[in-house]
Structure formats: structure tokens, C-alpha cells
Amino acid sequence: MVTAAAFRDRFELPEGVTYLDGNSLGPLTRDAALAIREMTWNQWGKDLIASWNKHDWFGAPERVGNLIAPLIGAADGEVVVADSVSVNIFKLAAAALVAQPGRRIILSEPGNFPTDLYMIEGLKRLRPDVELRLVRRENMADALSDEVALLLLTHVHYKTAEMFDMDGLTKAAQAVGALTLWDLSHSVGAVPVDLNHAGADLAVGCGYKYLNGGPGAPAFLYVARHLQEKLASPLSGWMGHAAPFDFTDAYEPAADIARWRAGTPPMISLTALEAAVKLMREADFSDLVHCSHILTDAFIEGVEAKCADLTLISPRDATQRGSHVSFAHDHSFEIMQALIAEGVVGDFRTPDALRFGFAPLYNSMDDVERAVAVLAGIMDSGRWRDPRFAKRSKVT
């Protein structure tokens, strides 16, 4: 693949490992490793606190947000990097409810990524009048009403990779006066996203998957420009103040996207994310998407030809799925552990999903062919039945 050939050497990938788990944790980029060294040794190490101004640490959340913005179809000043996906969902959902006092329903789907639902459950403990209503995706548009404050959906499903129609559902929600909040955690850097074209109101996403920002990398949030002075964060932290260094007792939110900042930016992890996103911005994104379709189509074809016991649970049409592919089997956990033991790294998602993520910045057809061959060998031989593969750790 042209893309993998151009960028693979800029990633630290262990010899002999076929890494198909970039949809859970992107690998280390050499650019990020060098940037962290520069930031720690020369900026923090030598310039100390002066680095907040000299190296513009203070402006990093907006600066990196502007780097991410084109990857999700946003404009400069509409994205800020801060906190985690979970915290950002809470901030935006709470703000949407406060801004619409006559509405009390947050609409989502069963099987959405757990944190999206859990955060609303926590919000409900503060607002007992709020209802989290879960509706199957095929009935989502019909469930919209003038009681709905917020439509909260994950654009690419974390397990199946099925994509929602962002444009259509955003328009349907807005037609009844509701706001939309899209979780882009499995979309950003993997599939085309155009928030401005869709007219989306709000969005969140993480930095550690396809953006390769590192474990625990800070997340980002998007607020459409026309909403930025209408919505206020419930976490009115110092860094979101209009003039934080005036040290006034009363809180006055910043007039722009900076109002969604809360605490001090985590500069080491932000530095890694910034370097990794710059690398991704070097690639032709349409080429990345094209390569993703080729890789995932080839993987599906290969697995179905050689592993009859596995059932595809991802959409077959590449334009309807993200850049990961999932197959089901009653013993998916054991099969995945056997794969990992032989150097093919994917992941398992309960109850029965084998999940494989393809990142064209470093994955190639060689990875597809090796993964299919190893998987077929494990299935044919029954090696996954070894009792050691049934032992579960805290992280699966």
C-alpha cells in the first residue's frame, strides 16, 4: 500500500508483530517520542515555568484542536483538546440540558459505548427529571420529539464498526429542536467526517486511537461556532475563565471555545498528541480512506474463505463501516489470546467479538495476509483450546 510504505517507518512497531489494534491504542510515532524529549529536556528542563509563554504551552489546547479540526470537518476555533471523552460528554450534555429547560430526554441507542451511557446516568443523579431513552438505531429518527434535548450517538460503533447517517440524523434532530452530540472516537483519523457540512452541534473524540496520541492522550470536543456563547460548561474551571490570570472571585466564561477548558493542560501527553496529529496531517486523507477500504475488504474476504466458523458482524459495505472489522465466535476471547501469542494483535469485545483495526498509515496487505494465515491456522488446529488462553486479565 502506498500510504503504509510512506509512513510505516515513522512508527515504533515491534519486529514480528502484526498490529491490528490501532483502533484501541495507536502505536508510538517517532515524531512523538522526539517531541516529548524536546519538551521535557529543553522546555520543561531548561525553561521551566517560562515555557507557558515562551513555548506557548498555554495555547496548546486550542492549537492542537485546530490541527484536529480539518480531520472532522470543523473550522479553526471550534475544537479544543481537554480532559477525556467521558468528561467532555458530561460537560456538553449538561450544557445542552441547561440551555433547553423545557426538554428532559437524552436519546441514544442500546449497546452504545458504555461511557457515553454511564456519564448520562451520572448526570441523571444530579437531574432526576432527565430521562435517558435508548432506542434501536433503525427507529432512531422516529423517536425524536419536542421532548428530546439531546441526541447522543457514536458515529462508528465501537464493536461492529457500523456507521450512523450523521447528516440525516442531525437534520432530523434539529427539525424537532434537539441538539446533537456525536462521539467520534472510532471515526477521527479513520473515516470521512464533516461536522460543518452535517450542521452538527456538538462532538467529542479521543486522541489515543487512530490519532496515535498515546495511552491516556487527552480528548477533544467540538462546539459549533454559533453555539459557543449560548452554552456554558458546568465545570467552570480556572482555565476556562475569560481572564484566568486576573484571579477574580467570580467566574466569567471565555467567549470562545476556550470556555470548555477546565484544568491545567497535560503538556507531556498534549505534546505527543500534537506531534502524532501533525504526522497524520501529512497524509492525503482520501488516500487513507481508500486504503482502509482495500485492507478491510481483503481481510473480510480472506477470513470468510478460510475460517468458516467465524461470522462477520461488521457491515460488508466498506462505505458503511469504520476502519475496524469484527467477527463473532463463541470462543472469541480464547481465539484472540491465541492470535496475540503468535504476534497478531487485535482485541476482544464481550460477549463474542474478535475485533481488528486497520490503520493505513502503517498497516499493509502483508499484515492482512499474515493475520488471515495465522487466524486460519489457529482455527484449523484448535490451538485456541489451550487452557492458558482462557485466563482473563483486567483489560481484555
Side-chain angles (χ1 to χ4, degrees):
M1 304 291 291
V2 173
T3 304
F7 291 95
R8 187 181 180 94
D9 287 345
R10 294 174 66 179
F11 288 83
E12 286 292 331
L13 292 163
E15 194 69 32
V17 170
T18 298
Y19 193 67
L20 302 180
D21 212 355
N23 56 309
S24 269
L25 175 63
L28 173 66
T29 67
R30 294 179 178 176
D31 300 54
L34 292 172
I36 291 170
R37 181 175 177 82
E38 159 64 20
M39 181 266 168
T40 53
W41 287 101
N42 292 328
Q43 297 180 19
W44 179 18
K46 295 179 181 177
D47 293 326
L48 296 167
I49 199 169
S51 294
W52 287 105
N53 289 315
K54 183 175 181 180
H55 302 291
D56 195 25
W57 288 359
F58 189 78
E62 290 85 6
R63 183 175 68 247
V64 182
N66 287 341
L67 283 173
I68 292 171
L71 299 176
I72 57 174
D76 278 2
E78 290 187 317
V79 181
V80 66
V81 174
D83 303 313
S84 65
V85 168
S86 299
V87 173
N88 287 338
I89 287 172
F90 183 91
K91 290 190 293 190
L92 292 172
L97 286 168
V98 170
Q100 301 175 98
R103 295 169 180 257
R104 64 178 191 86
I105 294 172
I106 295 178
L107 189 63
S108 191
E109 69 165 334
N112 195 357
F113 190 76
T115 202
D116 299 55
L117 305 182
Y118 296 167
M119 296 309 292
I120 304 306
E121 288 184 11
L123 182 55
K124 284 175 58 181
R125 287 192 286 274
L126 300 176
R127 286 279 306 269
D129 61 310
V130 171
E131 176 188 347
L132 173 60
R133 185 173 294 178
L134 304 182
V135 177
R136 296 183 66 84
R137 62 176 53 206
E138 60 268 23
N139 301 320
M140 195 66 65
D142 292 336
L144 289 162
S145 71
D146 59 9
E147 290 184 289
V148 176
L150 184 69
L151 178 63
L152 167 61
L153 296 174
T154 299
H155 179 228
V156 171
H157 194 274
Y158 79 100
K159 190 182 299 183
T160 67
E162 184 177 0
M163 275 197 291
F164 271 113
D165 173 9
M166 180 185 287
D167 288 26
L169 282 169
T170 296
K171 288 179 175 61
Q174 292 172 346
V176 298
L179 295 175
T180 57
L181 171 51
W182 291 97
D183 185 340
L184 306 178
S185 294
H186 283 92
S187 304
V188 60
V191 299
V193 178
D194 196 337
L195 295 172
N196 283 175
H197 181 269
D201 302 302
L202 311 166
V204 298
C206 70
Y208 56 80
K209 299 183 191 297
Y210 291 103
L211 294 184
N212 307 300
F220 63 86
L221 65 80
Y222 157 90
V223 179
R225 194 176 303 280
H226 72 279
L227 290 172
Q228 288 182 11
E229 291 195 47
K230 297 177 182 178
L231 301 180
S233 174
L235 302 182
S236 46
W238 177 44
M239 287 290 177
H241 194 282
F245 289 92
D246 284 358
F247 297 104
T248 58
D249 288 348
Y251 183 77
E252 179 186 349
D256 55 15
I257 195 68
R259 66 171 52 192
W260 298 96
R261 295 169 59 160
T264 304
M267 283 310 304
I268 297 176
S269 54
L270 252 176
T271 296
L273 177 61
E274 182 171 17
V277 173
K278 284 180 178 178
L279 187 157
M280 175 162 280
R281 288 283 303 273
E282 292 180 32
D284 181 328
F285 192 71
S286 62
D287 184 42
L288 289 181
V289 174
H290 176 66
C291 291
S292 169
H293 291 175
I294 292 173
L295 292 171
T296 51
D297 283 345
F299 183 71
I300 291 170
E301 181 179 353
V303 171
E304 291 190 325
K306 297 184 178 182
C307 306
D309 290 343
L310 301 181
T311 302
L312 180 69
I313 58 174
S314 295
R316 193 171 298 280
D317 182 350
T319 65
Q320 300 302 309
R321 66 170 184 261
S323 199
H324 63 271
V325 172
S326 294
F327 285 88
H329 188 279
D330 288 344
H331 294 279
S332 287
F333 179 80
E334 295 91 333
I335 294 166
M336 183 54 70
Q337 299 313 300
L339 276 165
I340 293 169
E342 297 190 28
V344 176
V345 181
D347 59 17
F348 161 80
R349 287 295 176 261
T350 187
D352 60 1
L354 290 154
R355 192 175 70 162
F356 304 87
F358 293 85
L361 279 175
Y362 52 85
N363 287 135
S364 67
M365 285 299 295
D366 288 343
D367 295 321
V368 171
E369 291 167 5
R370 179 167 185 261
V372 169
V374 174
L375 179 57
I378 287 170
M379 298 304 296
D380 290 345
S381 67
R383 294 195 295 276
W384 59 267
R385 298 178 187 277
D386 187 318
R388 65 193 170 106
F389 297 135
K391 183 179 179 181
R392 300 202 180 195
S393 300
K394 289 183 178 180
V395 178
T396 61

